């Protein structure tokens, strides 16, 4: 096995994920060489200035010939375009990988180009609402599952080497076929996004003119539909590239909903009880990870007195202690909440620091 610290890594696209992988490689393998390409110049300049990249290029050219690994980190249709370019550039033992959330289309393109001996698919199951290089960081992949989808012909020694690299950057490698991967993410990521969007639109289209549904919507509704606040363009692309698997899982879900509707119509309370108990037990046994394919929400709830300046005081306490707030607002429907003020943060560390500072000022805090 080659020494990863002595290898050359190329990146085609350095947004949030590509930039985070590159920054992490720089941290764990300080002796490695990193070559980056990005369509926009700003990320290339930033990667050079912060020491992540050794070389930044304006186009995918022969500079990438020296790469031992090349990460394709652009939208799916562009990745396939760059595959065709790289086929004429890469050396014999170069491994190309990608970071896309759908694997079928890239594997099919690799097969059509006869590049299977040079390809290992990859999907780091982490992300953020922010998408550009400036929000990338060298800890984003820590404790995140990282799907590895080798072709049938790529040498085992490269799969083992790539798996070690994934482990070294702090992620948790899972070797899986690309077909199974796409079915899994259809169930745990792609369909939930569609369901969340559909549920929000159900409320929107069936609300009264007075908009009582919208007004009274509790924290629980906002929590289960949070992922509906996603990029329409990105999710259109995901759904169109994994439509078969999503449709299959959606069909199974529809059948379950029909069964649920039948139990409600005949007032079968025990069936409802059993369904909720089964789902509760299963969900309570899901492992928690710092990163996830669906990003976790970090929120706390605080009891405050309804008086002028109450929220401003809390915001000042947090700002003084360098805690960045993502969102803050009064909970008018407290059916499922404790604390009248909900404060959301970008990460768990910020939420924990906020709890510490506010409790020090004698606020009563609830952390869910």
């Amino acid at each position: 096995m080659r020494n990863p610290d002595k290898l050359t890594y190329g990146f085609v696209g350095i947004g949030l994920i590509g930039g985070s992988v590159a920054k992490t490689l720089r941290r764990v393998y300080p002796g490695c060489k990193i070559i980056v390409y990005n369509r926009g110049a700003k990320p290339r300049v930033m990667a050079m200035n912060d020491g992540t990249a050794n070389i930044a290029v304006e186009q995918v050219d022969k500079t990438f010939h020296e790469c031992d690994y090349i990460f394709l980190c652009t939208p799916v249709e562009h990745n396939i375009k760059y595959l065709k370019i790289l086929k004429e550039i890469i050396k014999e033992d170069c491994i190309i990988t990608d970071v896309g959330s759908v694997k079928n289309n890239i594997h099919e393109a690799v097969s059509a180009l006869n590049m299977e001996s040079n390809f290992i698919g990859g999907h780091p199951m982490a992300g953020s609402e922010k998408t550009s290089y400036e929000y990338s960081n060298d800890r984003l992949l820590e404790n995140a599952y990282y799907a590895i989808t080798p072709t049938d012909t790529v040498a085992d020694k490269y799969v083992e080497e790539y798996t070690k690299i994934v482990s070294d950057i702090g992620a948790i490698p899972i070797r899986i076929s690309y077909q199974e991967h796409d079915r899994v993410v259809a169930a745990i990521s792609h369909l939930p996004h569609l369901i969340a969007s559909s549920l929000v639109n159900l409320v929107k289209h069936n609300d009264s003119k007075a908009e009582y549904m919208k007004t009274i919507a509790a924290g629980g509704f906002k929590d289960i539909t949070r992922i509906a606040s996603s990029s329409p363009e990105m999710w259109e692309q995901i759904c169109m590239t994994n439509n078969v698997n999503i449709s299959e899982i959606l069909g199974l879900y529809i059948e379950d909903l029909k069964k649920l509707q039948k139990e409600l119509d005949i007032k079968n309370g025990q069936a409802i009880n059993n369904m909720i108990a089964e789902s509760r037990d299963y969900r309570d046994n899901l492992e928690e990870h710092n990163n996830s394919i669906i990003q976790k929400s970090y929120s706390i709830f605080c009891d405050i007195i309804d008086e002028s300046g109450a929220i401003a005081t809390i915001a000042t306490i947090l700002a003084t202690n360098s805690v960045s707030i993502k969102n803050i607002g009064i909970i008018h429907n407290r059916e499922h909440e404790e604390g009248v003020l909900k404060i959301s943060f970008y990460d768990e560390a910020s939420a924990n620091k906020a709890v510490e500072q506010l409790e020090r000022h004698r606020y009563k805090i609830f952390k869910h």
Side-chain angles (χ1 to χ4, degrees), residues 94-146:
C94 175
I95 295 298
I96 298 176
T97 185
D98 74 319
V99 298
S101 64
V102 181
K103 312 280 16 129
N104 181 68
N105 50 352
I106 189 75
H107 274 269
E108 287 183 347
V110 166
S111 177
L113 291 167
N114 195 28
M115 298 177 69
E116 291 176 300
S117 61
N118 296 99
F119 186 79
I120 302 173
H123 178 201
M125 297 184 177
S128 166
E129 296 166 348
K130 310 295 184 179
T131 58
S132 60
Y133 180 83
E134 62 187 301
Y135 297 106
S136 62
N137 70 82
D138 64 359
R139 302 285 177 178
L140 182 69
L141 306 180
E142 232 168 45
N143 296 317
Y145 286 121
Y146 198 120

Side-chain angles (χ1 to χ4, degrees), residues 3-72:
N3 181 357
D5 191 55
K6 304 300 182 184
L7 299 181
T8 297
Y9 302 89
F11 285 84
V12 178
I14 48 170
L16 175 74
I17 300 298
S20 294
V21 174
K23 287 180 178 180
T24 309
L25 287 172
R26 172 60 65 217
R27 174 172 58 81
V28 299
Y29 303 140
C32 76
K33 186 174 184 178
I34 295 179
I35 301 170
V36 302
Y37 160 78
N38 196 80
R39 185 173 60 177
K42 183 179 177 181
R44 300 197 304 262
V45 174
M46 293 175 68
M48 290 295 293
N49 289 343
D50 65 20
T52 297
N54 300 99
I55 298 174
V57 294
E58 296 181 0
Q59 59 184 353
V60 178
D61 56 22
K62 292 182 179 179
T63 309
F64 282 82
H65 176 74
E66 65 178 293
C67 291
D68 299 290
Y69 281 89
I70 297 175
F71 290 80
L72 297 176

Side-chain angles (χ1 to χ4, degrees), residues 16-17 99 101 123-130 139-147 170-172 174 181 184-185 187-190 192-193 226-227 234-235 283 286-298 346-348:
L16 175 74
I17 300 298
V99 298
S101 64
H123 178 201
M125 297 184 177
S128 166
E129 296 166 348
K130 310 295 184 179
R139 302 285 177 178
L140 182 69
L141 306 180
E142 232 168 45
N143 296 317
Y145 286 121
Y146 198 120
I172 303 169
I174 295 180
H181 168 277
V184 167
V185 294
I188 66 169
S189 175
H190 302 166
H193 277 82
R226 175 174 51 85
I227 55 177
M234 180 183 76
W235 281 98
R283 188 185 185 282
L286 295 177
E287 294 184 10
E288 288 287 345
H289 290 275
N290 292 341
N291 285 314
S292 169
I293 195 170
I294 297 179
Q295 283 297 289
K296 186 177 179 180
S297 175
Y298 301 101
Y346 289 101
D347 52 59
E348 188 173 18

Side-chain angles (χ1 to χ4, degrees), residues 4-5 9 18 38 40 49 102 111 113 127 145 168 191 193 209 241 246 256 283 302 334 343 354 360 363:
D5 191 55
Y9 302 89
N38 196 80
N49 289 343
V102 181
S111 177
L113 291 167
Y145 286 121
D168 286 350
L191 182 59
H193 277 82
K209 290 184 178 180
T241 53
I246 298 172
D256 280 347
R283 188 185 185 282
C302 176
R334 298 176 64 185
I343 314 172
R360 183 175 295 175
Y363 286 96

